[in-house]
Amino acid sequence: MLYRITVKQNKICNGVRIEKGMSVDVVTNSFSNPITTNGGQPVVDAFMRIYGIDIKKACALNMIYLDCQRIN
């Protein structure tokens, strides 16, 4: 499954800045939300790979700050 994870609002926490509109694509074998499955590790890895930021350190690895859409 392919999911697009998009930041819903700006946030600065622990020296990490995320901005509304940042998005990453995550591929997973699971049908469940990648933000809440396996501690969100695929999402953490994708943000680190694309933007070089630690979304977990920004305390934004949750549905308050991230939107999850299934692409296929």
Side-chain angles (χ1 to χ4, degrees), residues 5-9 11 13-14 16 18 24 26 33-48 53-68:
I5 312 299
T6 306
V7 176
K8 294 195 255 184
Q9 57 187 332
K11 180 176 184 174
C13 181
N14 295 326
V16 179
I18 60 169
V24 295
V26 175
N33 185 334
I35 296 170
T36 57
T37 305
N38 296 329
Q41 196 58 47
V43 177
V44 172
D45 294 343
F47 271 94
M48 185 59 73
I53 61 171
D54 187 345
I55 195 85
K56 193 178 255 187
K57 184 178 177 185
C59 302
L61 187 62
N62 57 56
M63 297 301 292
I64 296 169
Y65 295 102
L66 301 176
D67 179 52
C68 180

